[in-house]
């Protein structure tokens, strides 16, 4: 809707009296500056970025956009439903604001003026500006920032006893203030009468800059307030192609900024949705996500199949699974609600067992205790692929609380739309149909199990009991704090399990551990040595292929040992590398008909079992392997190493700063690798992160985690010394120039 300089939109609705209005200056000063406004910036363009930030604090219907005469590009980008004003004579920013006077809603209590070529201002900064203006009852309020090296294009703010007494250009600073680095950023708020009245007089006298307005208001002794921004990236204006490139880096960096307090959106990673309790993880978000999944269930016509819902032992898991059940019930979708605390693989099993449209479990897996989340499984028990989870999260984030349909749990139970049903026995029975329970009986195996305060005690304890395995459990109590550590079954967190085995005088033949939701496994051998999942996968693949006669290839993610490939080649079988995320592992298993799929972080499954990782099943399979071979873990390792040779893995992680997420990939693109230290690079894969392939199955991987703000560095080499050398090189590469 194009407006003249004096016309007013009749299509915008009235906001409550006193609500702010805004003017976005998007006319530019010449063709080059106007071209920059419509250039891509992140997922949008420069002018769209500025406009979207502005409309987070001022209603869209109350924003006036000033464009150049005859300009259509900004209109096409922002849409036809806005109030547009064509700038008259190019007399400066003050003149452009004055041109917009007739289009500003008559009831505006204050007018916020912002520039389209300064698109990196945060909405919080604009909200702070408006709020400061109101609370200070100011005549004029503007944004300031203190920068290390002010550009000459920015005027300096001069204060006396904290009050603004002048705004001057750099060359006009006196000796007392020459080192003053506080700048006028260039966003203003004023009442409409003062704003337009003062500008009318200034423009008539030939003063066309908005800064002249500030000079006048200060000189008249009116109330002037400021709001300081502390992220100097916000000050970045776009007046050249080089500055546009710098702005793109800032936008990219912001994508990876940890968002706290105000970030309530749902984001799926490689293992479901996870967030800090009280920030991203709230019952409101649980309900919104379940409504989105319920909507998808209805669209597919799968309501009659229902859903199965469970929860683990974390804070809010019980309340969350009730909230989830109420949403599905409210959408006329039957719910099988699993009582008590259940392992994730039980829900993975339950979806196809019941023929449910979806399986849902409230869990944050191995994350620290302040986290919780949700995993969603399809009808066959597999994890949805990225395009599906993107659809769920986008729809959930677009839903308001009023759009969530619920039915009280007590009423839902009375109506039979929510049914409480334990599926522990069917799950255990299914495992015992695959694992040879009878073969383990009589083996006199004694084990120690560390469920890490998680959910495996009932199921794994029952299976081991049926095998007549004598099992001692530690850390089996219900403790949502997990003993103060993240419940991940890795070497650093299994010290109690290791010590119990080492102090037992050879009593125990095996130590087993599962993570918080029991889909990952950790193993300690009879000597108390931690066995990496890489080695465990190698042993199980050998066992399945050679002892159980299960022919077929193997699938691993790209962070998992290449010894599996060597063993597969020895067997004449295929090996397949996939991205991180168990959904990619199971998809790869189907693709090549693999007998085993796994990942170095502790997850595995076999052909014929569920399409997800299962630490409980894995523990049972390891017990079977020891019983049927009659060998200890240490003996099996040496036997398989004789076939494959040795490779040594090391891993490290560093906090993934936003700067690092931008700089590391850019440096990898700009500096094609030919060597890692003295070792020649054979090839580089960008399947998932950057994997540098060296000779003789040696490799190094840089990958940003999909579940935590961490950059992971993983290497595998012929010797421990070479592995340490490769890891040192990666760490040096990552930190250089960041």
């Amino acid at each position: 809707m194009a407006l003249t300089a004096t016309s007013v939109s009749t299509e915008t609705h009235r906001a409550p009296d006193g609500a702010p209005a805004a003017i976005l200056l998007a006319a530019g000063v010449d063709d080059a500056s106007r071209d920059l406004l419509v250039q891509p910036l992140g997922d949008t363009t420069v002018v769209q970025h500025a406009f979207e930030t502005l409309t987070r604090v001022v209603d869209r219907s109350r924003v006036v956009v000033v464009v150049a005469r005859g300009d259509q590009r900004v209109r096409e980008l922002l849409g036809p439903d806005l109030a547009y004003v064509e700038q008259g004579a190019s007399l400066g920013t003050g003149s452009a604001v004055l041109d917009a006077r007739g289009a500003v809603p008559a009831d505006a209590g204050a007018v916020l003026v912002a520039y389209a070529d300064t698109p990196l201002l945060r909405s919080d900064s604009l909200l702070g500006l408006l709020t400061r203006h109101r609370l200070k009852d100011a005549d004029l309020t503007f944004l300031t920032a203190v920068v290390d090296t002010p550009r000459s294009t920015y005027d300096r703010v001069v204060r006396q006893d904290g009050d603004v007494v002048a705004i001057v250009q750099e060359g006009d600073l006196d000796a007392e203030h020459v080192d003053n680095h506080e700048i006028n950023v260039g966003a203003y708020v004023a009442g409409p009468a003062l704003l337009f009245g003062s500008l009318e007089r200034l423009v008539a006298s030939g003063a066309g800059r908005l800064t002249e307005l500030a000079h006048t208001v200060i000189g008249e002794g009116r109330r002037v307030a400021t709001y300081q921004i502390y992220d100097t990236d916000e000050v970045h204006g776009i007046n050249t192609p080089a500055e546009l490139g710098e702005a793109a880096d800032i936008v990219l960096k912001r994508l990876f900024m940890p968002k706290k307090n105000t970030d309530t959106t749902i984001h799926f990673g490689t293992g479901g949705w996870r967030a800090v309790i009280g920030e991203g993880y709230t019952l409101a978000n649980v309900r919104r996500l379940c409504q989105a999944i319920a909507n998808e269930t209805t669209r597919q016509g799968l309501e009659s199949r229902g859903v199965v819902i469970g929860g683990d032992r974390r804070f809010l898991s019980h309340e969350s699974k009730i909230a989830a059940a109420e949403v599905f019930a409210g959408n006329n979708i039957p719910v099988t609600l699993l009582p008590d605390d259940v392992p994730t693989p039980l829900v993975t099993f339950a979806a196809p067992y019941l023929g449910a449209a979806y399986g849902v479990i409230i869990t944050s897996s191995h994350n620290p205790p302040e986290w919780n989340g949700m995993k969603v499984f399809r009808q066959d028990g597999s994890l949805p692929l990225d395009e599906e989870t993107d659809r769920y999260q986008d729809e959930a984030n677009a839903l308001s609380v009023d759009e969530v349909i619920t039915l009280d749990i007590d009423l839902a139970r009375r109506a039979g739309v929510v049914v409480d049903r334990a599926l522990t026995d069917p799950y255990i029975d299914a495992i015992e149909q695959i694992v040879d329970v009878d073969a383990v009986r009589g083996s006199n195996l004694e084990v120690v199990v560390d469920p890490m305060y998680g959910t495996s005690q009932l199921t794994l304890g029952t299976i081991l009991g049926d095998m007549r395995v004598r099992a001692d459990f530690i850390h089996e109590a219900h403790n949502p704090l997990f003993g103060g550590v993240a419940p991940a079954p890795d070497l650093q967190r299994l010290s109690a399990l290791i010590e119990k085995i080492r102090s037992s005088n050879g009593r125990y033949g095996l130590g087993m551990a599962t993570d918080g939701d029991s889909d990952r496994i950790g193993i300690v051998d009879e000597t108390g040595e931690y066995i990496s999942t890489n080695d465990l996968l190698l042993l199980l693949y050998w066992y399945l292929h050679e002892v159980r006669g299960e022919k077929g290839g193997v699938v691993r993610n790209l962070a998992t040992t290449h010894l599996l490939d060597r063993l597969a080649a020895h067997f004449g079988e295929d090996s397949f590398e996939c991205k991180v995320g168990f959904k990619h592992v199971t998809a790869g298993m189907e693709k090549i008909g693999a007998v085993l799929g796994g990942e170095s972080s502790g997850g595995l499954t076999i052909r014929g079992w569920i399409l997800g990782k299962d630490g409980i099943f894995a523990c049972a399979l390891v017990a079977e392997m020891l019983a049927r071979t009659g060998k200890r873990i240490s003996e099996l390792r040496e036997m398989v190493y004789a076939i494959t040779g040795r490779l040594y893995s090391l891993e490290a992680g560093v906090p993934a700063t936003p700067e690092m997420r931008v700089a590391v990939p850019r440096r990898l693109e700009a500096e094609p690798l030919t060597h890692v230290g003295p070792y020649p690079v054979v090839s580089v894969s960008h399947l998932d992160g950057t994997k540098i392939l060296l000779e003789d199955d040696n490799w190094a991987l840089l990958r940003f985690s999909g579940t935590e703000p961490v950059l992971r560095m993983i290497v595998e080499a012929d010797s421990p010394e070479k592995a340490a050398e490769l890891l040192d090189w990666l760490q040096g590469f990552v930190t250089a120039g960041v």
Side-chain angles (χ1 to χ4, degrees), residues 317-652:
S317 285
H318 174 74
E319 293 82 359
S320 297
K321 73 177 182 180
I322 297 301
E326 291 179 330
V327 172
F328 285 104
N331 284 271
N332 291 169
I333 299 172
V335 175
T336 299
L337 190 60
L338 303 177
D340 304 320
D341 313 310
V342 298
T344 287
L346 194 155
V347 176
T348 312
F349 161 82
Y353 177 77
L354 296 176
Y358 288 99
V360 172
I361 184 163
I362 308 299
T363 181
S364 190
S365 190
H366 62 285
N367 281 60
E370 63 268 25
W371 290 67
N372 210 333
M374 181 188 297
K375 293 181 181 179
V376 181
F377 299 97
R378 298 187 291 194
Q379 295 179 60
D380 61 358
S382 63
L383 286 166
L385 297 178
D386 294 343
E387 59 269 20
E388 295 173 74
T389 55
D390 287 348
R391 193 165 63 246
Y392 304 155
Q393 74 181 25
D394 291 347
E395 182 169 359
N397 288 327
L399 289 170
S400 70
V401 174
D402 293 337
E403 293 174 292
V404 176
I405 308 166
T406 63
L407 180 66
D408 179 78
I409 189 66
D410 291 332
L411 179 56
R413 280 173 165 143
R414 289 197 300 270
V417 69
V418 172
V419 175
D420 295 275
R421 180 181 177 186
L423 294 176
T424 300
D425 286 349
Y427 170 70
I428 291 172
D429 291 343
I431 289 177
E432 293 185 353
Q433 288 176 6
I434 298 176
V435 175
D436 192 344
V437 172
D438 291 335
V440 186
R441 293 176 177 175
S443 64
N444 296 317
L445 181 63
E446 291 192 51
V447 302
V448 185
V449 182
D450 185 355
M452 306 195 78
Y453 302 104
T455 55
S456 68
Q457 183 184 8
L458 175 60
T459 48
L460 182 55
T462 301
I463 294 167
L464 292 174
D466 290 345
M467 290 175 165
R468 305 299 188 265
V469 171
R470 290 182 288 278
D472 289 336
F473 280 77
I474 62 174
H475 302 150
E476 74 274 23
H478 184 171
N479 180 354
L481 294 177
F482 302 107
V485 300
D490 52 33
L491 175 60
Q492 294 74 25
R493 297 174 177 89
L494 295 182
S495 57
L497 178 63
I498 291 170
E499 177 57 29
K500 191 167 181 66
I501 291 175
R502 288 178 175 172
S503 62
S504 70
N505 296 318
R507 173 184 170 189
Y508 298 112
L510 184 67
M512 302 173 170
T514 52
D515 70 341
D517 69 332
S518 309
D519 63 355
R520 298 189 183 201
I521 184 176
I523 291 294
V524 177
D525 75 6
E526 74 281 1
T527 69
E529 181 180 353
Y530 175 77
I531 304 300
S532 71
T533 308
N534 280 332
D535 279 356
L536 180 62
L537 289 169
L538 197 65
L539 299 185
L540 287 175
Y541 184 37
W542 172 86
Y543 171 71
L544 290 167
H545 197 277
E546 296 296 279
V547 179
R548 287 186 51 148
E550 304 260 358
K551 305 305 179 184
V554 66
V555 174
R556 57 167 179 79
N557 71 22
L558 81 170
T560 300
T561 180
H562 284 210
L563 289 179
L564 287 168
D565 302 47
R566 291 184 181 180
L567 189 56
H570 172 79
F571 292 150
E573 304 281 10
D574 293 332
S575 58
F576 184 79
E577 179 177 89
C578 64
K579 297 195 295 184
V580 172
F582 212 78
K583 55 193 171 187
H584 302 299
V585 173
T586 54
M589 291 178 68
E590 182 178 1
K591 182 175 182 178
I592 70 167
V595 65
L596 174 71
E599 52 188 16
S600 59
S601 57
L604 65 92
T605 193
I606 71 169
R607 185 174 57 209
W609 186 228
I610 60 176
L611 299 179
K613 53 192 173 186
D614 187 344
I616 295 163
F617 175 86
C619 286
L621 187 62
V622 171
E624 179 197 311
M625 177 177 68
L626 296 185
R628 287 192 62 177
T629 62
K631 296 182 181 297
R632 303 252 177 159
I633 290 285
S634 57
E635 296 171 318
L636 289 171
R637 288 172 80 196
E638 294 306 315
M639 186 173 63
V640 177
Y641 287 155
I643 299 171
T644 63
R646 291 293 304 268
L647 290 173
Y648 298 85
S649 297
L650 285 177
E651 179 174 353

Side-chain angles (χ1 to χ4, degrees), residues 126-137:
L126 295 180
L127 180 59
L129 179 65
L130 284 166
T131 304
R132 180 64 55 88
H133 181 77
R134 174 175 54 83
L135 295 177
K136 290 290 189 181
D137 193 23

